Amino acid sequence: MAEKKTSKTTTRKKTTKKTTSRSAKNKKLVIVESPSKAKTIEKYLGSTYQVVASIGHVRDLPKSTLGVDVEQDYQPKYINIRGKGPVIKDLKKAAKNAKQVYLASDPDREGEAIAWHLQYILGLDPKKANRVVFNEITKDTVKSAFKEPRTINQDLVDAQQARRIIDRLVGYSISPVLWKTVKRGLSAGRVQSVALGLIIAREKEIQAFQPEEYWTLDSEFKKGRAKFKANFYGFDGKKQPLPDNAAVQGVMGQLDTKKPFEVSSVKAKERKRQPQPPFTTSTMQQTANTQLKFRTRKTMMTAQQLYEGINLGRGLGQVGLITYMRTDSTRLSAVAKNAAAQFIHNEWGEEYSSHKPVAGVPQEGAQDAHEAIRPTDVTKTPASIKDKLTPDQFKLYSLIWSRFVASLMTPEILDTMAVTVEQNGVLFHANGSKTKFPGFTKAYPAAKEKDNLLPDLAEGDRVDLSKTDPEQHFTMPPARYSEAALIKALEENGVGRPSTYAPTLDTIQRRNYVRVDARKFVPTELGEIVQNIVDDKFPDITDTKFTAQVEHSLDDIEVGDKKWVPVVDEFYKPFAKEVASAEETLEKITMHDELAGMDCEVCGAPMVIKMGRYGKFYACSRFPDCRNTKAIVQEIGIECPKCHKGQVVERKTKRGRKFYGCSRYPDCDFVSWEKPKAPGEEASDDKADKKKSTKKATKKAKS
């Protein structure tokens, strides 16, 4: 009996397997780039679809060679990316069994190129409408997109292909020149060379800057008990600078501090502050950097997560929370405007909703193929889904949501007052403001101006001088570029596009061309050497106008106004001559190491500071004859709590995480992730912890 039962079970299993196989054959296959995006879309499409991920690109130019035939119309020699064999095998198998195949990669040039490569690898008919695009991953949008599939847009593919080939020609032509003259592992590129050039040019401005002295004379006046501040303006209605202390003393000499001053002018106005347009990729990166202190890479990674879908639970499952995050456009769809208008009406009232969105001024050459970055559902407020988001996701989603809603709201209205106080022809100015109507700042509190209240003043009023505060200043050089400022400069110069900024900033840091000090970029000696070579031998590459023109040409290819081969040819022919000239004329450049100020314990030669993969370290100047090295560590002024002989020093792991150890390592193996505290600090902390514990225990006992 047992044997018969086993036989029946086996038969049932085989039948189930056949049914599953038959079911898979009847399904429609959808290919996207990422598993999280696949998970979100599959939920919307239902059981008749199978959604799988290609995990990004599947074909690219080879890493080991140029991969571009410059003699045959720059034909690229694409290969399957190493390590993608199993993925490609699974995709082919799924496509073979599928009833229909759809390619649903991202709705931009790069996404179109991914779809084109997938079409080639899977042997799909290029004339068949199998390309599906959507700007947001929501149920209605995704379902609508699958009702209107199209063929691959070859113009979009060619624009991306032209960019890839030009960047490959630049990188693989200049890099060997840099290896030969400086050292191996260096690189140059169209956008990164312009970015590095801007950073170095700013550093030269700072070094050449000559500070100039100037003074301010801030004063405090009072009317009754009310006090207000005013600044020295000038004499007899004319503005007058204060270049030195003598000028300040000249002003003070004209004043009689014991006598009252007269309010000679009061100008009250109503001022409107308009909301900013919703985010583009660039403005999102800039604002996240300044307000959230996010690095550009972190911003884009978090935005990608919000776009592809977050599990909201409560029967909602995986939901795409924002529209596509790579866009130059501030345009909003009519559906999004109407939904936002309804939300604003319900939440704050009719007086807060504008009839139409505030249009931003599009950057020249903006692709404008997408909407601005916005929430897919305005009713999903940040507060309502906070428990489903990571802290970073919540911060960025709040920023995107607030900016979008605010862009469709009425202006903030301020009552402003400009007051002039004078005595003996000496003028002081005071400016005040007060919010009359909050407008868009209801949704975007971070944009609200702080009230600066002045007492009720009228022309002819008498006020008394409470105190004066003369202060010496010196003019400051222009600030170094932060990530936000550099992205803004690149965008204003028409260099790069939304997808290029994050990898560009990452590259110049990884190559050690710049370092980050107080969240600002500072060029290194290596960066300056590389840039000098590129400036001298490849002037077009670092010319912002030339690079912007290349971007314009790529845009022209995208809309079908130009063909990609002539664009590449126009760029490469003069560039190839520059490469040949550089190879003949450049000589080896020797970089001198910085002295460390100590001698090697092994051989007695001077130690120097070198730059390695994980940062700076000490090394013997006689390398390779002497291979002695030491980590550069920073003492924190605390004795090692384990051996009581060494000092606690700050170190970093290979991944850059900070930890603390003993300076006598390896003789002492003390290590801690937490910063150790001095004995006095520990005692006071113990008392505080004990007090907190007592409070908690008392509270628990009462309950």
Side-chain angles (χ1 to χ4, degrees), residues 120-133:
Y120 174 84
I121 282 177
L122 301 177
L124 304 179
D125 183 357
K127 294 178 182 178
K128 196 165 185 178
N130 56 16
R131 175 76 170 118
V132 177
V133 292

Side-chain angles (χ1 to χ4, degrees), residues 339-354 375 378-383 398 401-410 437-445:
Q342 189 62 54
F343 177 85
I344 295 163
H345 274 249
N346 295 341
E347 192 74 13
W348 297 294
E350 186 180 350
E351 66 274 21
Y352 283 91
S353 177
S354 64
V378 71
T379 63
K380 288 185 174 65
T381 63
S398 298
W401 186 92
S402 299
R403 177 83 166 231
F404 162 68
V405 175
S407 74
L408 296 167
M409 293 176 73
T410 48
F437 177 70
F440 72 90
T441 63
K442 276 279 190 181
Y444 199 7

Side-chain angles (χ1 to χ4, degrees), residues 109-125:
R109 293 174 188 168
E110 191 172 4
E112 202 74 13
I114 289 173
W116 182 67
H117 285 303
L118 284 168
Q119 185 184 72
Y120 174 84
I121 282 177
L122 301 177
L124 304 179
D125 183 357

Side-chain angles (χ1 to χ4, degrees), residues 191-192 194-200 202 282 285-286 289 296 480-493 495 501 504-506 508-509 514 520-521:
V191 181
Q192 82 174 54
V194 171
L196 180 58
L198 288 171
I199 293 168
I200 291 172
R202 178 60 57 87
S282 169
Q285 290 171 344
Q286 293 171 48
N289 184 249
T296 307
R480 288 178 173 137
Y481 283 109
S482 63
E483 283 199 0
L486 186 58
I487 289 169
K488 186 178 181 181
L490 289 170
E491 187 182 37
E492 286 174 347
N493 282 289
V495 175
Y501 297 134
T504 296
L505 301 189
D506 184 56
I508 60 175
Q509 291 173 78
V514 299
K520 302 289 178 69
F521 290 120

Side-chain angles (χ1 to χ4, degrees), residues 426-444:
V426 181
L427 307 179
F428 288 83
H429 275 189
N431 292 299
S433 64
K434 181 182 179 182
T435 302
K436 183 178 181 180
F437 177 70
F440 72 90
T441 63
K442 276 279 190 181
Y444 199 7

Side-chain angles (χ1 to χ4, degrees), residues 95-344:
K96 186 179 178 182
N97 292 331
K99 181 180 177 182
Q100 168 73 31
V101 179
Y102 292 104
L103 307 171
S105 44
D106 287 342
D108 58 7
R109 293 174 188 168
E110 191 172 4
E112 202 74 13
I114 289 173
W116 182 67
H117 285 303
L118 284 168
Q119 185 184 72
Y120 174 84
I121 282 177
L122 301 177
L124 304 179
D125 183 357
K127 294 178 182 178
K128 196 165 185 178
N130 56 16
R131 175 76 170 118
V132 177
V133 292
F134 34 80
N135 191 41
E136 59 184 74
I137 304 177
T138 56
K139 188 174 183 178
D140 290 343
T141 305
V142 170
K143 285 198 163 187
S144 296
F146 275 86
K147 290 176 183 176
E148 298 179 1
R150 59 168 173 78
T151 57
I152 298 283
N153 184 329
Q154 195 59 42
D155 290 332
L156 275 174
V157 174
D158 288 345
Q160 178 63 22
Q161 187 165 243
R163 174 188 289 280
R164 188 78 184 92
I165 289 171
I166 288 174
D167 289 345
R168 173 56 67 99
L169 291 170
V170 171
Y172 276 53
S173 297
I174 298 181
S175 295
V177 175
L178 297 175
W179 299 350
K180 184 179 176 182
T181 54
V182 187
K183 68 173 186 177
R184 292 192 66 82
L186 304 181
S187 70
R190 285 187 316 110
V191 181
Q192 82 174 54
S193 294
V194 171
L196 180 58
L198 288 171
I199 293 168
I200 291 172
R202 178 60 57 87
E203 194 67 21
K204 287 178 179 177
E205 283 183 63
I206 293 168
Q207 290 171 359
F209 183 80
Q210 294 296 322
E212 293 181 6
E213 181 186 7
Y214 72 98
W215 286 67
T216 55
L217 182 56
D218 298 337
S219 303
E220 185 180 80
F221 294 89
K222 63 180 180 180
K223 180 190 176 185
R225 291 186 177 182
K227 294 180 179 180
F228 65 97
K229 292 181 178 179
N231 308 315
F232 169 74
Y233 179 76
F235 301 103
D236 301 320
K238 294 181 180 178
K239 188 172 176 63
Q240 182 68 39
L242 297 173
D244 49 37
N245 189 34
V248 174
Q249 296 308 315
V251 172
M252 297 298 293
Q254 285 189 236
L255 300 177
D256 187 342
T257 56
K258 294 181 180 179
K259 289 185 178 181
F261 287 64
E262 182 183 352
V263 177
S264 60
S265 172
V266 177
K267 293 179 180 177
K269 288 183 180 179
E270 186 179 272
R271 180 164 66 91
K272 290 184 178 181
R273 286 184 65 235
Q274 299 291 341
Q276 292 177 299
F279 283 130
T280 62
T281 304
S282 169
T283 54
M284 177 183 70
Q285 290 171 344
Q286 293 171 48
T287 308
N289 184 249
T290 52
Q291 289 189 20
L292 306 180
K293 306 295 184 283
F294 279 14
R295 303 291 292 272
T296 307
R297 180 172 285 280
K298 182 178 183 177
T299 300
M300 295 309 292
M301 181 181 69
T302 308
Q304 184 92 27
Q305 294 163 0
L306 295 172
Y307 166 70
E308 291 183 344
I310 302 293
N311 190 350
L312 298 183
R314 296 172 294 190
L316 296 173
Q318 201 89 352
V319 177
L321 292 177
I322 64 169
T323 53
Y324 192 53
M325 64 285 158
R326 293 188 182 93
T327 175
D328 298 21
S329 179
T330 56
R331 186 180 63 82
L332 292 170
S333 69
V335 174
K337 292 177 195 175
N338 291 337
Q342 189 62 54
F343 177 85
I344 295 163

